[in-house]
Amino acid sequence: FRSSYRHADNTEEDQQWATWLHHQLEIYNVPEDLIGTINLRGESIPDRIYPVFRDEVSLSADANLSTAIAHALDHSQFLIVLCSPRAVQSQYVNEEILHFKRIGKQDRIMAALILGEPNVSLDTQKVQDPEHASTLECFPRALQHPLTVDGHLDPSRVIEPIAANFRLPDGGKGITNPNVYKQKLLRKGFPKAKAQSLANSYEEQINNARLKIIAGILGVPLERLTQRDKLYQLNKARAETRRFRYIAGSMFLLTLSTGVAGLLAWQGKQEAGRNFSEARQTVDSFVYEISRKELADIPGLQELRETFARRAIAQYADFIKRNPHNIEVQIGYANAKVTLGGILGQIGSMHAAEREMREAVTLLEEGSKYYPEESRYKLELAKHRIELGSLYWMVQQPQEASPFV
């Protein structure tokens, strides 16, 4: 599987659709009752969608498709095109589509709409306004027309590929994190209830768009997949909800125990120290629970996980004020930062994820210098440097990644 897109469409905070879609496809759990069955194309349905290829290579205006990219296309079963006005301007994207069609895979191309209007350039009744990107053509020319028998585009005919709509309801560029969309609505003056309702609807829209692409890849009707997906996610959400109730209870006990610890501090340092240790261990366990990557699959939990992670970081910050030289607290604080970074990365907020992970690495580097004999700093630092490097590789920044991996 391969995605084709304009590099500039994958650099903006909370709008890194190539990265988000790549992650969503690779973590998707194909329903067990579909695995191994025969799809509409007469093929066996795999147990996962993997691997997904993408790159950040740009071709010059007079360049042909590079050998490496052509090789990747030749060995890909599907091509997913991120459609936007920028993609229309990219010869690189257009050449990939043409190549994929010329090797006989024209019926295995899918479009992900992130900004602009499809085929508006072919409709004389519609007007493209350069001042409003949402009105501009988003389909590259090679996507609009079939090929002639000699492998050239046939402008006399127009085709409509499978298209999944990730655009905002007002036509603006899609946002990978519905919670960020809600915050933008609130800043525009929308009532809280209305903003939440619109964000919920948008979350459902992008989930359905995601499933539309997955259904196309698996070769099953969208309705069949959505029904199974809803049941699968419902059962999984119920199990995780029970676990999260435990986590929420732990947070309550954490708040209570730290308050008690503060009161007991007046009664004796030894007793207060013991309660502080218990409170810290509670936070450590709490951070471990919310860091589990399988929670990323559960609809509606990401905002809660992010909130809990930020609360845990605030709690560690309070611990550090009371025990500035406590090694366990500093390591726990760094772990919480990396956990938050991981959650932000899972929802597509890559810049924010990088910031949290970098702060964690910096903290551990400083601690390692201050306590050179303390091996725990070195172990945690090595682990988190690898995680930060992996994040850079995910967003295709090899120069940034190289010092960490």
Side-chain angles (χ1 to χ4, degrees):
F1 310 94
R2 181 173 176 79
S3 58
S4 179
Y5 56 96
R6 183 72 180 267
H7 171 71
D9 278 329
N10 198 47
T11 58
E12 298 162 304
E13 179 73 6
D14 298 310
Q15 295 179 321
Q16 295 171 309
W17 282 105
T19 302
W20 181 88
L21 191 55
H22 182 156
H23 179 71
Q24 292 296 318
L25 293 177
E26 290 199 334
I27 67 170
Y28 180 74
N29 290 297
V30 178
E32 290 186 5
D33 62 336
L34 289 180
I35 297 173
T37 61
I38 303 303
N39 65 15
L40 297 175
R41 295 187 296 267
E43 302 165 341
S44 177
I45 296 178
D47 60 351
R48 62 182 301 198
I49 300 174
Y50 182 87
V52 178
F53 298 101
R54 64 186 177 89
D55 59 66
E56 302 289 343
V57 179
S58 296
L59 297 181
S60 61
D62 59 350
N64 292 321
L65 204 61
S66 73
T67 302
I69 295 177
H71 178 79
L73 289 169
D74 292 342
H75 290 80
S76 296
Q77 296 183 50
F78 294 90
L79 180 66
I80 302 171
V81 183
L82 268 63
C83 299
S84 71
R86 285 172 173 163
V88 173
Q89 299 169 1
S90 171
Q91 180 184 347
Y92 157 60
V93 173
N94 205 63
E95 286 290 331
E96 284 203 348
I97 299 169
L98 275 174
H99 184 90
F100 212 68
K101 287 186 174 183
R102 285 168 178 163
I103 59 176
K105 300 178 182 179
Q106 62 276 356
D107 59 343
R108 291 176 176 248
I109 300 176
M110 287 172 282
L113 310 181
I114 59 175
L115 179 64
E117 283 291 324
N119 286 335
V120 65
S121 60
L122 305 176
D123 189 341
T124 57
Q125 302 299 315
K126 294 183 179 180
V127 177
Q128 297 187 71
D129 182 356
E131 298 297 321
H132 297 87
S134 61
T135 69
L136 301 180
E137 177 64 66
C138 69
F139 275 179
R141 190 165 180 267
L143 200 62
Q144 296 176 311
H145 307 288
L147 297 181
T148 61
V149 292
D150 57 356
H152 294 92
L153 288 178
D154 182 359
S156 67
R157 292 189 294 159
V158 178
I159 56 175
E160 290 280 353
I162 295 175
N165 183 20
F166 294 96
R167 298 168 298 179
L168 292 177
D170 63 0
K173 185 176 181 180
I175 297 174
T176 56
N177 185 352
N179 187 45
V180 172
Y181 175 50
K182 182 183 78 173
Q183 297 304 320
K184 288 191 174 184
L185 292 174
L186 291 173
R187 287 194 292 272
K188 289 181 178 180
F190 280 73
K192 186 175 182 179
K194 181 65 174 178
Q196 185 63 62
S197 176
L198 290 172
N200 290 343
S201 296
Y202 181 62
E203 182 173 18
E204 183 177 358
Q205 174 193 324
I206 62 175
N207 184 56
N208 288 336
R210 175 184 68 100
L211 289 176
K212 188 172 186 178
I213 288 178
I214 291 172
I217 292 173
L218 296 181
V220 298
L222 176 59
E223 295 77 13
R224 183 181 177 191
L225 187 59
T226 52
Q227 291 172 359
R228 282 165 169 74
D229 185 75
K230 286 179 180 179
L231 180 60
Y232 172 81
Q233 297 295 350
L234 178 61
N235 291 334
K236 193 171 184 180
R238 284 173 177 169
E240 294 301 340
T241 297
R242 289 193 294 270
R243 194 176 187 91
F244 249 68
R245 284 174 180 167
Y246 164 77
I247 295 175
S250 297
M251 176 58 83
F252 173 75
L253 292 176
L254 162 66
T255 304
L256 181 62
S257 63
T258 51
V260 171
L263 292 174
L264 291 178
W266 295 94
Q267 300 177 8
K269 291 184 178 180
Q270 184 176 2
E271 184 68 15
R274 188 183 72 187
N275 279 274
F276 170 79
S277 178
E278 292 175 355
R280 181 189 57 75
Q281 291 173 11
T282 301
V283 185
D284 288 345
S285 299
F286 174 73
V287 170
Y288 171 77
E289 290 291 341
I290 63 175
S291 69
R292 295 187 303 118
K293 288 183 173 56
E294 57 265 33
L295 295 179
D297 296 341
I298 310 301
L301 286 187
Q302 301 317 307
E303 183 178 350
L304 186 60
R305 292 177 70 215
E306 180 183 346
T307 299
F308 280 178
R310 294 189 186 280
R311 288 182 182 177
I313 289 172
Q315 191 65 64
Y316 277 118
D318 181 66
F319 289 163
I320 288 176
K321 287 181 182 178
R322 290 192 277 139
N323 292 267
H325 302 296
N326 187 296
I327 294 174
E328 287 81 5
V329 168
Q330 292 180 9
I331 291 176
Y333 182 73
N335 287 340
K337 281 279 189 180
V338 171
T339 294
L340 176 58
I343 294 170
L344 293 171
Q346 289 165 6
I347 60 178
S349 299
M350 295 302 177
H351 293 305
E354 175 198 357
R355 182 175 61 251
E356 297 296 336
M357 289 187 176
R358 267 199 172 277
E359 289 179 3
V361 167
T362 299
L363 175 66
L364 293 174
E365 286 175 342
E366 292 175 351
S368 184
K369 291 177 182 178
Y370 195 78
Y371 299 103
E373 74 289 349
E374 182 52 65
S375 61
R376 284 175 292 179
Y377 277 117
K378 294 182 175 63
L379 290 173
E380 294 297 323
L381 178 59
K383 181 176 68 175
H384 295 329
R385 283 175 65 87
I386 291 174
E387 290 175 316
L388 178 57
S390 297
L391 178 70
Y392 282 128
W393 277 112
M394 182 179 293
V395 297
Q396 299 294 314
Q397 295 182 27
Q399 291 184 340
E400 295 287 348
S402 58
F404 300 101
V405 295

